[in-house]
Amino acid sequence: GAGGGEAGACRPPVRQDPDSGPDYEALPAGATVTTHMVAGAVAGILEHCVMYPIDCVKTRMQSLQPDPAARYRNVLEALWRIIRTEGLWRPMRGLNVTATGAGPAHALYFACYEKLKKTLSDVIHPGGNSHIANGAAGCVATLLHDAAMNPAEVVKQRMQMYNSPYHRVTDCVRAVWQNEGAGAFYRSYTTQLTMNVPFQAIHFMTYEFLQEHFNPQRRYNPSSHVLSGACAGAVAAAATTPLDVCKTLLNTQESLALNSHITGHITGMASAFRTVYQVGGVTAYFRGVQARVIYQIPSTAIAWSVYEFFKYLITKRQEEWRAGK
């Protein structure tokens, strides 16, 4: 869920060239915390809504022992079959809980990221841009984002599973709460963080590397930002797929996988890793990798372009309003 958020979190400095148009970083000079939160919430909701059907397919494809009716060759075939056999709106089930979680989660994420990035940069590299500050700010922001998003993820993934008994979000929440306790909503929180911190690092390094090639002058160049962001998102997504598979198992507590090897709930990262290996061997760690990469590429691009656009728009309006007073 956090994908787009994490993905773009670390951005390189953008040097201004007199002929290169507006400065990407400097456009919203007076952006407030509220601006970051609103722009972040809009970006998060849009990114999750647009990419939701692919996310549904990814959850299904990560299933360790899928029902024969839910074994898919690729993303498009999966989407087509889900719609044909389970109805047009089936890939969208659980979207409402995701949108509800994504708003506050991304609002917190972006506001915390921007604030910390600035505070830490001023300490580490006054007047400049510090990669360490960006990375650290992104990691702390991830803690907040995932804390807000995790319960929504659990409910969403259970509703996405094949033959899910839940038709309404409230049914799923009630069942999880009664049968597994409140802790179930945070069972995959540590896994989520274990995944997002390396995701952050890989994305950042890849992005920097690609910017050096595509945009050596580091001018504001939307196409290069989108291209680098998308490629970096794809690399980070592929590399962290094994952790994502474990997260899906912890969230869904897939009954077939549980019945075949283990009694009781799978609780920690280590036991999730063991179960995945026991059930499917090494290849099981890369279940759904294609769906994950296909999901991450546009979601990274959507989240950052929407975020920057709204941040610019809101700030511009505020400045015009101040000027007109």
Side-chain angles (χ1 to χ4, degrees):
E6 280 85 68
C10 308
R11 285 201 306 295
V14 178
R15 298 187 187 89
Q16 177 64 338
D17 179 281
D19 310 317
S20 70
D23 180 338
Y24 189 48
E25 291 280 310
L27 280 174
T32 62
V33 173
T34 320
T35 305
H36 294 148
M37 292 187 89
V38 174
V42 175
I45 291 169
L46 263 175
E47 168 208 340
H48 282 287
C49 289
V50 173
M51 298 308 298
Y52 195 81
I54 307 293
D55 187 55
C56 173
V57 169
K58 176 176 77 75
T59 298
R60 297 272 186 106
M61 292 179 91
Q62 286 178 338
S63 168
L64 291 178
Q65 293 185 329
D67 187 286
R71 292 176 198 266
Y72 311 110
R73 282 196 301 279
N74 57 48
V75 175
L76 279 176
E77 189 238 6
L79 207 50
W80 167 240
R81 268 179 47 199
I82 292 171
I83 289 170
R84 209 181 58 218
T85 59
E86 301 172 55
L88 179 63
W89 296 107
R90 182 62 182 95
M92 302 307 279
R93 193 188 290 174
L95 174 63
N96 50 350
V97 71
T98 302
T100 311
H106 278 74
L108 285 170
Y109 181 87
F110 282 111
C112 172
Y113 172 70
E114 297 271 11
K115 181 90 186 91
L116 269 180
K117 180 177 76 165
K118 191 172 176 345
T119 312
L120 293 172
S121 278
D122 289 346
V123 174
I124 299 169
H125 188 194
N129 176 63
S130 156
H131 300 329
I132 298 170
N134 294 348
C139 292
V140 177
T142 301
L143 296 177
L144 280 181
H145 172 278
D146 292 356
M149 199 66 194
N150 215 86
E153 276 280 312
V154 173
V155 175
K156 176 200 79 170
Q157 291 200 310
R158 290 187 186 222
M159 293 182 78
Q160 287 174 333
M161 293 298 275
Y162 178 73
N163 261 347
S164 168
Y166 312 112
H167 286 271
R168 289 207 306 276
V169 169
T170 45
D171 300 340
C172 183
V173 172
R174 199 178 302 114
V176 173
W177 185 279
Q178 286 169 354
N179 302 332
E180 301 172 47
F185 292 107
Y186 280 94
R187 204 178 271 138
S188 62
Y189 181 57
T190 47
T191 318
Q192 184 80 356
L193 293 176
T194 315
M195 178 169 76
N196 283 339
V197 173
F199 185 100
Q200 187 76 289
I202 295 164
H203 177 277
F204 188 28
M205 291 186 291
T206 313
Y207 188 90
E208 283 286 311
F209 174 76
L210 292 172
Q211 280 290 295
E212 278 162 18
H213 286 267
F214 294 141
N215 189 12
Q217 279 81 42
R218 297 296 173 100
R219 295 172 179 172
Y220 172 43
N221 178 345
S223 58
S224 99
H225 293 305
V226 168
L227 187 63
S228 304
C231 295
V235 172
T240 52
T241 296
L243 294 162
D244 199 34
V245 170
C246 293
K247 185 198 82 174
T248 298
L249 177 64
L250 287 169
N251 275 346
T252 58
Q253 296 289 314
E254 209 188 321
S255 54
L256 280 166
L258 293 171
N259 294 344
S260 53
H261 290 281
I262 287 173
T263 49
H265 297 304
I266 300 173
T267 47
M269 188 62 189
S271 89
F273 246 90
R274 255 197 319 278
T275 309
V276 172
Y277 184 74
Q278 286 168 352
V279 175
V282 174
T283 52
Y285 290 118
F286 287 92
R287 289 269 164 91
V289 64
Q290 180 204 23
R292 185 163 153 77
V293 170
I294 289 172
Y295 173 83
Q296 198 59 54
I297 290 172
S299 72
T300 307
I302 292 167
W304 279 94
S305 51
V306 171
Y307 174 65
E308 292 293 351
F309 173 72
F310 273 90
K311 192 165 81 170
Y312 171 59
L313 198 72
I314 296 167
T315 307
K316 202 169 165 222
R317 284 284 146 83
Q318 285 172 337
E319 279 165 4
E320 283 166 6
W321 184 73
R322 282 193 205 105
K325 270 181 80 171

